[in-house]
Amino acid sequence: MPNYQLSHLDQIEAEAIFILRETAAQFQNPGLLFSGGKDSIVMAWIARKAFHPARMPFPLVHIDTGHNFPETITYRDEFAEKIGARLIVGSVQKSIDEGRVVEEKGPNASRNRAQTTTLLDTVAEYQFDAMLGGGRRDEEKARAKERFFSHRDDFGQWDPKNQRPELWNLFNGRKHPGEHFRVFPLSNFTEMDIWMYMQREGIVLPSLYYAHTRDTVTRNNTILAVSEFVQPREGEVVESKTIRFRTMGDATITGAVESTADTMDKIIEEVAAARQTERGNRADDKRSETAMEDRKKEGYF
């Protein structure tokens, strides 16, 4: 007698496929937010499976701050070409040049918050009515408040205290003109699930996720890679360390961890033993206790 019991990974993959298909059914023009990070890679991978053998019906949308690691941009372009996806890039630098946003100044300046304006402008320009994001509930307390279908008003704002119920996996995608939704198919994945899924599927990742040696500085208890965007300040010592990145973002805010994990097996062992979330080394999340929620209310990812 055949065994119809699904593994844990099969169950959450099936849930994500259901959400992706529901998004395609309920909305006219969805886009898939793609950063070149592991979560957006997995989301795009599952989206391909959800609509195979047809092409994935969502363009990849990257909000480029201009401060990304070169390895991330190279991977983004190669991945889009490999899967035959349309790639749309919203430029924060363009938003700054056009006076849409004012770039932060000071020693801890970041372009992370400026992404919100560029994202909302991109949504308006291409008339997206839903944006698929790779957010997971285990990442951060603000992300844990999100629904699968997360409504945004005509200003792109999110109201965490006024969200629609999702009983029995029934999703209400009704909206007024100018409003849109953020949709999170990977909500019930954990960091461990992501790595185990990538291992099972044989997904190739940017090299930054694996242990490598590079020059670093330690700033505010965060290890930052020295680059054109991060230069040592007075009193800081440049050290060559073997590191890897658990999460992907701007070079100015993404902290590394010292690690020798250079294979997926070793990374899975490391994640299993970790006692800090992967965003624990993100400088932008340390600005206040509610930093992520404040940005999300304004229209952030």
Side-chain angles (χ1 to χ4, degrees):
M1 187 173 182
N3 181 7
Y4 292 106
Q5 185 174 356
L6 296 178
S7 70
H8 172 61
L9 291 180
D10 287 333
Q11 290 180 31
I12 55 179
E13 179 193 58
E15 180 180 64
I17 287 174
F18 171 64
I19 300 299
L20 287 158
R21 289 174 176 169
E22 191 72 12
T23 302
Q26 290 204 35
F27 299 100
Q28 294 182 338
N29 188 31
L32 189 150
L33 288 167
F34 187 83
S35 65
K38 63 184 185 304
D39 298 325
S40 61
I41 293 168
V42 167
M43 180 169 60
W45 184 276
I46 296 177
R48 290 179 68 202
K49 295 180 76 171
F51 300 98
H52 181 79
R55 279 182 66 181
M56 182 176 69
F58 318 117
L60 303 181
V61 182
H62 183 215
I63 305 303
D64 182 6
T65 65
H67 287 173
N68 292 284
F69 291 98
E71 295 93 331
T72 304
I73 300 302
T74 298
Y75 181 94
R76 177 200 71 185
D77 295 342
E78 291 176 349
F79 184 86
E81 183 177 1
K82 179 180 178 181
I83 68 173
R86 178 186 175 200
L87 176 64
I88 294 171
V89 179
S91 170
V92 172
Q93 184 62 56
K94 180 181 177 183
S95 298
I96 294 170
D97 294 342
E98 293 177 349
R100 291 285 295 150
V101 295
V102 177
E103 187 167 14
E104 287 185 4
K105 306 297 181 184
N108 296 315
S110 164
R111 288 187 172 184
N112 205 42
R113 195 161 198 151
Q115 293 179 87
T116 299
T117 298
T118 307
L119 170 60
L120 296 178
D121 286 348
T122 303
V123 169
E125 178 182 355
Y126 291 92
Q127 298 182 344
F128 291 120
D129 54 358
M131 299 300 291
L132 290 152
R136 309 186 326 266
R137 291 180 177 135
D138 75 317
E139 281 184 273
E140 204 272 345
K141 56 189 176 184
R143 294 210 191 276
K145 297 180 181 181
E146 292 272 19
R147 303 288 197 263
F148 281 109
F149 275 33
S150 183
H151 176 260
R152 297 298 195 267
D153 66 19
D154 51 358
F155 292 102
Q157 297 173 322
W158 173 58
D159 183 359
K161 295 181 179 179
N162 185 27
Q163 298 191 77
R164 299 176 181 182
E166 293 181 342
L167 305 176
W168 306 291
N169 282 346
L170 297 176
F171 304 109
N172 181 356
R174 288 180 293 180
K175 59 182 180 53
H176 296 294
E179 299 176 346
H180 72 280
F181 276 76
R182 305 287 169 80
V183 182
F184 301 101
L186 307 185
S187 289
N188 288 332
F189 278 70
T190 65
E191 183 185 11
M192 178 63 81
D193 293 332
I194 290 290
W195 280 104
M196 292 177 67
Y197 184 82
M198 290 188 296
Q199 182 186 51
R200 188 187 80 173
E201 299 289 307
I203 298 175
V204 177
L205 289 172
S207 59
L208 295 171
Y209 280 112
Y210 299 95
H212 58 287
T213 302
R214 67 168 64 204
D215 289 340
T216 68
V217 294
T218 301
R219 184 175 299 165
N220 299 325
N221 297 319
T222 298
I223 300 172
L224 297 174
V226 174
S227 67
E228 63 176 304
F229 311 117
V230 177
Q231 291 294 309
R233 299 173 185 168
E234 184 177 352
E236 291 182 338
V237 178
V238 176
E239 299 177 280
S240 179
K241 293 186 176 182
T242 301
I243 60 170
R244 74 175 192 88
F245 295 90
R246 290 177 67 188
T247 181
M248 206 60 62
D250 275 10
T252 57
I253 59 173
T254 305
V257 294
E258 292 191 73
S259 171
T260 58
D262 55 2
T263 66
M264 279 204 182
D265 284 338
K266 292 179 182 178
I267 290 173
I268 288 172
E269 290 179 10
E270 187 176 271
V271 170
R275 292 297 174 264
Q276 185 181 47
T277 68
E278 63 203 280
R279 293 190 67 96
N281 272 336
R282 287 288 289 262
D284 51 326
D285 288 354
K286 296 180 180 180
R287 292 192 171 194
S288 73
E289 285 292 321
T290 59
M292 171 67 82
E293 183 163 330
D294 292 341
R295 294 198 304 275
K296 287 175 70 64
K297 287 179 180 178
E298 295 169 358
Y300 184 71
F301 308 156

